[in-house]
Amino acid sequence: MVNLLGSRSRDGPFPGGVMLVERLKPLLARLAILKSVTKYPGWVRRKPLVGVPASVAGVLALVLLVLAVTGGNGADKKTASSGGASSSVLGSEGAVVPGETTTTTVAPPGAPAAAAAQKAADKRARVAAASRPLGVQTRGPIPFALPKAGAPPVSTPDCQKYNKNVVVVALTNTSAQIAHLNPAITSQGPIHTAAEPMFNGLLAYDPGSGVYGDLATDVVVADFGRTYEFTLRPGVKWHDGKDFTSADVKFSFEQALLGDPGHSRTKASVAAALDRIDTPGPLAVVFRFKDSYSPLLQQLNVTEAPIIPKHVFEGNVKPDSPPAQRPIGTGPFKFVSKSSTDIRMDRNPTYFRPDLPCFAGMVESFVPDQGTQVALLEKGDVDWLGDVPGQDQGPGRLGGNRSITLARAPRGPGGANCITTLGFNLTAKGDRAGQIGGPNPAGTPAPHPVLSDLNVRKAIAYAINRQQLLDQIQFGIGRVAPAPISSQIPYAHAPQPGMPGFDPGLANSLLDGAGWTGRDGDGTRKRGAQRLQVDFTSFATGLQPTYGEAIRAQLKAVGIDLVTRPLPAYEQTTFVNRDFDTTIVSYCNGDDPVVGVRRQYFSDQVRTTGFTNAAGYKSPQMDTFWNNAQREPDQGRRAGFYRDIQSLAVRDLPYFWLVETVGTRGFRSDCSGFNVANTGLFAEAAFCRR
Amino acid sequence: MTARYIFRRLLHVVPAVAAILVVTFLVIHLAPGDPVIAIAGEDGDQAYYDLMRSKYGLDRSLPAQFFTYVGNVAQGDLGVSYVQGRSVAGLIAERLPATLLLMVSALTLSTLAGIGLGALAARRPFGSFDLAVTSTALVSYAVPTFWLAQLAILVVAYRTGFFPLAGMTDVREQYTGLAHLLDVARHLVLPALVLAASEVALMARSTRTGLIQESGKDYVTVARAKGLSSRRVLVRHALPNALLPVVTIIGTRVGFLFSGAVIVETVFAWPGMGSLIVGAAEDIDHPVLLGLVLLVALTVVFANLLTDLVYAWIDPRIRYQ
């Protein structure tokens, strides 16, 4: 099997010391085959440098020649020395296809038809096994509802017909920012976006159908929801050919996901609840929790809990370890190369889902500028954008372009069902007493001199026009948050009538009542000599600084001076040093409140871990509600506790919930089968008709 | 003696680079943020943070870190990237060719086009061609590079389809040999033009002004009186003298070209050092930032040296002692 992408990888610089003549050989060889080239449109049908004066063209050619001789970014040694051999590929429109090369074989004389029939039957069995929904069973009473079991993706005739295309994806980050490709030791969005297509979780999630088996085929939930017994899929191979076993699952959780540095969301929810992981057999894994634990089946997908090979990563789970640069996974695509321009992957020919993926490979191209990304998608140079900026979705641009399809999903590589939230620091700025992992975990912090006053927090909430934030910053995509728990978790979501709406008049009278009656020269309120000034920390990039500017303008109208602080070291300043007055956090709720909401409110979540209880909010009543909710078997009664949690949160207002955000994917309309809600395995069963 | 002059100038490089090192080192370390968070992730434990601190020497005093760094640089060791765990020299070497290609193309393009247009404009000062050149130059000098780059992508590349939108090579097809070179050339045209635009303007205007000034001088009148054609007078007599300030401009613009390249590389997804600088700044990757600043500083210093030498070559009256 000839591997198109593999044989042409450009990772690594051209080794020095290769003689000039060696370098020029393939160029001369190429000259000879110029006439036979029919495919490449750029320099055969068109003049290459249209509109550029001849002298300029000459100079460019000269510079290029110099470059070719120095070998700075040219082809690697392998391609350079085999220029003649590779010509067939160039001249024949991708005739050499990775993975799915069809070879015509002549049946041996007298070969029994039964063998062929047997082969077909084997394949049917394989397909049937792979397309079976997740087997979910319970043993004894289980104190919570289990998620709906959905059907996994399967190959289709079109998928197999159009299986020669490579899917091109644009990544917003630079190559240098994707420091490694091990998704099990971080929850960083950019790394997950880049690496997830090469991995699988135990389960996968499709919002249309439900939870389906990925590396696991069956699960038995027993012991009052304390034990989960998984049966793993037989015959799964890692990209290096080794067998996938239960030891890999145990290793991935114990050493990577829950280790150090670990995966922050999975670690925050699973680590404290987990008792141990047993592996009674090579294809059997048992998770034992200290108490009944309901959300596990919703947090085992490749985003929340990717499984990595023990034999590769054992002792190598730090971000700077070499295997993280050339990852081995079980996923539909396998790693070929990472360069300064792109990450290249080939189809995994031994993928456990028969005849998937449809694409022959995937290229993740580093395009830092989002405007350029959109233009590339429009032109067809890119097939899939994971995040289309709001300003480009209007009817004038992508919205009105029939060759582009836009699809919205409330989830991304940073998690699912996120609410952009304003956090109030209830404790004195920089006071780390009572912070787990901090210098004085047993201490009690001083209250915040301004924000510990509920009326000031309420005034800020009433002064904020959330609809304006949604319209102007998110371009109307998403919704104003009706409650502290996302509306995408319907059973737990309870709209709050007490949620402060936009009412600057009420904000002004609340501030007057709180004693902030004076005014200084620029209209900022004063109480005695103290100005009503608070700061606002955010990431330095993305939309958060824009939220800061908008909220600053809105609060100025009621006499509050908000000082925005966009920080490169945002997490350190906010969550470790607690050096802030107000902050903005995108809290991704996950598919169950325990996954992503509890960390905001529970008293033991005031810790040095990023994206936990930023407010420093501690309420025994709130802790009790959470404990009750987690122990409550009946979903209806559990929803009642979540209602209590939400009305208490709105009453105490440690946060103000601004906007439920939604991600927009964009893809070429001649492609179909993308799973728009699945960040890692979005292209598992997708294909492009071309 | 030219050789002695070069040697003396090279000696000047040492204190310049030392000063640059001290200032950059201090500025980078005074910036807020802990590189250990970037290395060890958002959720590491204290022991791992400590391990990483001692591994990269971050637990030592700032002067101690500085002298170790200078000692290593003197031996040609730029250190290891905190974030990527790879040698800084290797990272730069991987990105340098792309940036060099872009910058050298833009510089060559702007020099040739700038001098050519300036000379043509100076033939008939305040004529229609001159007006066209000077006003176009004014506009292209005033337009911000990032905007021009996006305009080039949307209008030239997207609407006409003459050139690829972004990147350095075709994403779907991986060419080798000559096809690869032509592929790179096609991708190079727009970024090089955009990067060159403001430089062309500057050089055209300087050349034009210089030529107009020179053409009023006695030696030009003498040359005309000898019966030489006006083109010959312009090209052979006036131009070399008019070019002296232009050469200075070229030398001093190298630093600006670097900063322009960062923007152009970001918009066009050109895989050069620009994206390395942006990423290193966001990740507080001290060794990479220091290495890049050092490289840019050295380039500017040597560009200035080269400028002075070219000066002497163009104007034989200048002798360096």
Side-chain angles (χ1 to χ4, degrees):
Chain A
M1 184 181 71
V2 184
N3 184 322
L4 177 69
L5 291 174
S7 67
R8 297 163 163 274
S9 68
R10 296 187 298 106
D11 51 335
F14 184 73
V18 176
M19 289 175 66
L20 175 64
V21 66
E22 277 304 310
R23 207 54 206 159
L24 289 176
K25 256 188 202 165
L27 308 192
L28 299 173
R30 178 74 55 227
L31 275 176
I33 64 148
L34 262 182
K35 285 176 187 164
S36 68
V37 173
T38 54
K39 160 80 178 129
Y40 187 46
W43 50 281
V44 177
R45 289 206 289 273
R46 231 184 263 132
K47 288 178 187 168
L49 300 166
V50 180
V52 181
S55 64
V56 176
V59 170
L60 291 177
L62 187 72
V63 174
L64 280 165
L65 189 67
V66 171
L67 190 85
V69 172
T70 55
N73 58 73
D76 64 13
K77 191 175 178 183
K78 203 161 144 196
T79 40
S81 58
S82 63
S86 59
S87 63
S88 63
V89 177
L90 179 72
S92 60
E93 191 154 5
V96 189
V97 178
E100 288 296 309
T101 314
T102 36
T103 40
T104 321
T105 48
V106 181
Q118 180 60 41
K119 214 172 155 185
D122 283 354
K123 180 159 183 188
R124 273 200 303 278
R126 232 162 33 100
V127 171
S131 57
R132 191 170 69 84
L134 176 70
V136 185
Q137 288 176 16
T138 55
R139 202 164 57 228
I142 300 303
F144 45 80
L146 292 168
K148 201 169 68 147
V154 285
S155 185
T156 58
D158 270 357
C159 169
Q160 287 169 63
K161 182 176 170 193
Y162 301 102
N163 67 358
K164 295 179 172 59
N165 297 309
V166 169
V167 62
V168 181
V169 177
L171 298 185
T172 311
N173 297 86
T174 65
S175 171
Q177 286 173 319
I178 312 288
H180 65 85
L181 292 165
N182 183 354
I185 56 167
T186 180
S187 56
Q188 281 181 43
I191 289 174
H192 270 261
T193 311
E196 282 179 11
M198 296 178 271
F199 292 91
N200 294 95
L202 285 179
L203 305 176
Y205 181 72
D206 178 270
S209 63
V211 175
Y212 59 89
D214 209 14
L215 288 173
T217 57
D218 295 272
V219 59
V220 177
V221 188
D223 194 16
F224 210 63
R226 280 192 282 266
T227 307
Y228 289 77
E229 302 166 7
F230 289 95
T231 305
L232 303 181
R233 194 178 295 278
V236 175
K237 302 270 186 207
W238 293 102
H239 293 158
D240 60 3
K242 298 245 172 34
D243 286 332
F244 157 75
T245 69
S246 56
D248 296 313
V249 178
K250 186 176 164 73
F251 166 78
S252 297
F253 273 85
E254 290 179 349
Q255 304 295 316
L257 294 160
L258 310 181
D260 292 309
H263 184 293
S264 70
R265 282 188 307 275
T266 302
K267 198 173 163 182
S269 52
V270 175
L274 188 68
D275 178 21
R276 64 176 197 276
I277 297 173
D278 293 332
T279 52
L283 294 179
V285 180
V286 182
F287 286 72
R288 293 183 201 283
F289 289 89
K290 294 170 191 157
D291 213 331
S292 53
Y293 186 78
S294 61
L296 186 69
L297 298 186
Q298 275 134 329
Q299 58 184 152
L300 291 177
N301 60 37
V302 69
T303 302
E304 303 298 323
I307 302 300
I308 57 173
K310 183 182 181 192
H311 68 276
V312 173
F313 284 100
E314 190 162 34
N316 280 313
V317 290
K318 299 303 181 196
D320 55 352
S321 70
Q325 297 297 326
R326 301 186 62 84
I328 301 280
T330 51
F333 296 96
K334 61 177 191 178
F335 181 82
V336 173
S337 65
K338 177 178 179 236
S339 70
S340 53
T341 50
D342 50 45
I343 296 171
R344 283 177 184 267
M345 294 166 237
D346 271 352
R347 167 193 289 138
N348 173 7
T350 59
Y351 192 49
F352 57 81
R353 294 195 198 286
D355 299 322
L356 289 180
C358 324
F359 286 119
M362 180 184 286
V363 178
E364 294 175 333
S365 184
F366 299 116
V367 185
D369 186 83
Q370 282 200 312
T372 310
Q373 288 189 350
V374 170
L376 285 168
L377 178 70
E378 283 185 289
K379 203 176 170 222
D381 289 351
V382 158
D383 299 316
W384 166 271
L385 283 189
D387 183 22
V388 178
Q391 65 267 32
D392 293 317
Q393 295 179 24
R397 286 299 298 281
L398 299 183
N401 186 340
R402 272 194 293 179
S403 54
I404 308 290
T405 304
L406 297 179
R408 293 190 178 143
R411 53 185 70 228
N417 309 328
C418 309
I419 302 180
T420 298
T421 305
L422 179 70
F424 300 108
N425 191 348
L426 304 178
T427 59
K429 194 171 171 177
D431 191 342
R432 299 178 63 189
Q435 178 195 39
I436 296 172
N440 179 16
T444 307
H448 193 281
V450 176
L451 295 170
S452 58
D453 183 346
L454 175 62
N455 282 331
V456 174
R457 300 202 296 277
K458 272 189 176 164
I460 290 176
Y462 279 113
I464 292 176
N465 184 344
R466 298 186 295 165
Q467 188 64 45
Q468 191 185 53
L469 300 179
L470 175 69
D471 292 342
Q472 292 184 355
I473 301 174
Q474 304 289 163
F475 295 86
I477 301 157
R479 63 186 295 190
V480 167
I485 293 180
S486 169
S487 59
Q488 300 295 321
I489 314 177
Y491 92 89
H493 170 76
Q496 295 297 311
M499 182 73 98
F502 178 50
D503 188 346
L506 187 52
N508 273 319
S509 56
L510 280 166
L511 290 172
D512 288 340
W516 296 94
T517 46
R519 295 269 182 171
D520 76 354
D522 64 353
T524 304
R525 285 170 178 274
K526 286 168 79 175
R527 187 172 63 187
Q530 190 186 7
R531 290 175 81 246
L532 184 45
Q533 184 189 53
V534 287
D535 73 9
F536 172 96
T537 61
S538 73
F539 279 115
T541 52
L543 291 178
Q544 292 191 351
T546 320
Y547 273 97
E549 289 311 312
I551 295 172
R552 188 177 67 82
Q554 293 176 355
L555 295 189
K556 194 175 165 56
V558 297
I560 300 171
D561 183 12
L562 189 79
V563 181
T564 54
R565 285 169 69 201
L567 300 167
Y570 164 74
E571 278 179 59
Q572 170 83 13
T573 308
T574 309
F575 291 94
V576 180
N577 301 342
R578 297 198 60 79
D579 172 24
F580 71 101
D581 297 317
T582 69
T583 186
I584 190 164
V585 184
S586 172
Y587 280 112
C588 294
N589 286 192
D591 291 310
D592 189 278
V594 173
V595 176
V597 185
R598 182 180 173 274
R599 58 180 169 160
Q600 274 176 268
Y601 302 99
F602 209 86
S603 60
D604 74 356
Q605 293 297 309
V606 183
R607 50 174 65 225
T608 47
T609 306
F611 314 108
T612 45
N613 188 339
Y617 175 65
K618 291 183 181 180
S619 154
Q621 196 182 3
M622 181 62 98
D623 287 1
T624 310
F625 285 159
W626 276 104
N627 288 336
N628 290 344
Q630 272 183 285
R631 287 198 202 105
E632 176 54 55
D634 178 70
Q635 198 187 61
R637 280 207 292 277
R638 197 158 74 250
F641 286 119
Y642 285 130
R643 253 198 318 278
D644 295 343
I645 284 170
Q646 291 171 87
S647 55
L648 180 59
V650 169
R651 199 191 79 196
D652 286 352
L653 217 66
Y655 301 93
F656 187 46
W657 308 268
L658 304 175
V659 172
E660 289 188 2
T661 52
V662 173
T664 305
R665 328 269 184 251
F667 55 91
R668 301 290 304 172
S669 300
D670 60 353
C671 304
S672 40
F674 283 118
N675 180 343
V676 298
N678 200 331
T679 55
L681 302 172
F682 69 95
E684 196 178 15
F687 54 90
C688 298
R689 290 184 186 82
R690 55 176 88 117
Chain B
M1 268 313 282
T2 315
R4 244 184 75 195
Y5 173 76
I6 295 177
F7 180 70
R8 246 181 35 217
R9 280 296 302 267
L10 283 177
L11 282 185
H12 288 175
V13 170
V14 176
V17 168
I20 290 164
L21 267 182
V22 173
V23 172
T24 354
F25 191 87
L26 283 180
V27 167
I28 288 176
H29 280 81
L30 285 177
D34 188 345
V36 169
I37 300 291
I39 304 166
E42 64 212 26
D43 201 19
D45 63 346
Q46 204 55 48
Y48 183 56
Y49 286 160
D50 291 344
L51 180 76
M52 283 293 126
R53 278 207 178 86
S54 71
K55 178 177 172 184
Y56 291 109
L58 291 166
D59 51 347
R60 295 159 58 211
S61 73
L62 209 55
Q65 287 186 45
F66 177 71
F67 286 113
T68 312
Y69 181 74
V70 170
N72 289 342
V73 169
Q75 296 168 40
D77 177 9
L78 291 175
V80 174
S81 159
Y82 293 157
V83 179
Q84 305 202 59
R86 298 174 53 200
S87 87
V88 173
L91 282 173
I92 291 179
E94 190 182 283
R95 303 304 189 90
L96 190 61
T99 296
L100 226 48
L101 173 65
L102 182 61
M103 278 182 57
V104 171
S105 310
L107 200 63
T108 319
L109 197 66
S110 58
T111 308
L112 294 181
I115 293 175
L117 288 173
L120 287 176
R123 285 173 70 180
R124 278 193 192 39
F126 308 106
S128 54
F129 185 79
D130 181 30
L131 274 178
V133 169
T134 47
S135 47
T136 314
L138 191 68
V139 172
S140 72
Y141 188 62
V143 165
T145 308
F146 70 89
W147 186 73
L148 191 64
Q150 289 185 327
L151 208 65
I153 287 178
L154 284 179
V155 176
V156 184
Y158 181 65
R159 298 264 174 249
T160 69
F162 283 157
F163 299 110
L165 295 182
M168 190 160 136
T169 48
D170 195 291
V171 182
R172 290 182 204 279
E173 307 286 331
Q174 290 190 278
Y175 302 103
T176 51
L178 186 62
H180 170 69
L181 291 188
L182 287 171
D183 189 31
V184 173
R186 264 164 35 91
H187 283 81
L188 175 64
V189 175
L190 278 188
L193 282 175
V194 167
L195 187 57
S198 61
E199 307 297 316
V200 171
L202 199 64
M203 285 182 207
R205 287 178 71 87
S206 312
T207 309
R208 172 188 170 274
T209 314
L211 273 177
I212 290 173
Q213 273 177 3
E214 291 298 321
S215 53
K217 292 198 173 157
D218 289 347
Y219 72 92
V220 174
T221 316
V222 171
R224 287 228 174 83
K226 282 198 296 187
L228 296 179
S229 70
S230 64
R231 169 188 287 201
R232 202 174 161 78
V233 170
L234 195 76
V235 175
R236 294 288 276 228
H237 294 259
L239 193 60
N241 292 311
L243 280 187
L244 283 175
V246 177
V247 169
T248 317
I249 290 173
I250 297 173
T252 53
R253 293 301 289 182
V254 169
F256 288 92
L257 264 182
F258 253 111
S259 59
V262 172
I263 295 165
V264 169
E265 286 179 5
T266 305
V267 179
F268 282 97
W270 188 263
M273 291 193 298
S275 55
L276 197 61
I277 292 178
V278 174
E282 284 182 4
D283 295 336
I284 329 171
D285 199 343
H286 295 166
V288 175
L289 273 181
L290 277 169
L292 286 166
V293 171
L294 193 65
L295 180 77
V296 174
L298 280 176
T299 313
V300 172
V301 167
F302 280 105
N304 281 328
L305 176 61
L306 202 65
T307 309
D308 288 348
L309 295 177
V310 172
Y311 230 80
W313 177 64
I314 295 179
D315 187 349
R317 289 171 304 179
I318 298 173
R319 284 285 168 269
Y320 295 114
Q321 293 300 322

